[in-house]
Amino acid sequence: MNYTFKNKNNPKLRKIDHCLVTHKVSLMRSVNTGTKEFREYTTEIAHILGYEALRDLPTVPTEIVTPLQKTIQNLIIKDSVVLLPILRAGLGMQDGLLTLLPTAAVGYIGMYRDHDTSLPNEYYFKAPELNGRVALILDPMLATGGSICASISLIKKHNPSQIKVLSIVSAPKGIDNILNTHQDVEIYTAAIDDGLNEHNYIVPGLGDAGDRLFGTK
């Protein structure tokens, strides 16, 4: 784990420093946290990450009528966001984002990391129109960054206006991989861990997020 974190102070990296986030991530790490609670914490943290990631959504001045008068207010442009969970663990973050923005369209990316080579393999991609829209990639774990980098390259072919990555636990190497390869992408994360072990798993981490979300091993 002797690794130099090159993008620690990159403005494109947004670590959410809040005691509630730290508390929930700490509970997720525990081996004593069951599937039900793990799912709930994942949803809650995704909600907070989404709040931060969506703060600069495009709005349009719109006339509305209050009980007292007409007024011009800024409303979020409809159909401006597409959620893109990476299967399967990214599904655990989906509801947290949809609670914030129920009108968001949703697509899915099937991308898995080969356990022997650690290289990403795409097996599924289904998304609504991405041209000119904000694409949010959802994946609880950012380890080597290989799968997310491959997903970003895939999404860029469809000309979104912005791409943002939302991850609960991240490793410095994965962050560097993304920000060195895709300088225009923003990363929002709840925790930055020490690094990766010999099997490229985040440590201290929280285990396999997919297994813990879906009760598998």
Side-chain angles (χ1 to χ4, degrees), residues 57-160:
L57 277 185
T59 60
V60 60
T62 305
E63 183 180 275
I64 64 171
V65 181
T66 78
L68 299 178
Q69 66 177 58
K70 292 181 180 180
T71 181
I72 302 297
Q73 299 292 314
N74 290 321
L75 299 182
I76 292 173
I77 295 175
K78 186 180 179 182
D79 299 328
S80 59
V81 176
V82 178
L83 308 181
L84 292 160
I86 296 181
L87 302 175
R88 65 180 168 152
L91 294 173
M93 301 177 68
Q94 179 177 299
D95 286 349
L97 273 295
L98 288 175
T99 301
L100 278 176
L101 197 63
T103 59
V106 181
Y108 296 100
I109 302 172
M111 192 79 67
Y112 71 92
R113 186 179 70 183
D114 187 284
H115 289 290
D116 295 323
T117 66
S118 294
L119 296 176
N121 290 277
E122 176 195 341
Y123 66 92
Y124 184 79
F125 179 70
K126 179 70 174 180
E129 178 62 52
L130 288 167
N131 185 46
R133 301 167 88 173
V134 178
L136 300 186
I137 298 175
L138 311 180
D139 194 342
M141 308 298 286
L142 198 178
T144 65
S147 294
I148 294 179
C149 273
S151 298
I152 292 169
S153 296
L154 178 63
I155 293 167
K156 280 186 172 181
K157 297 176 183 178
H158 300 272
N159 301 312

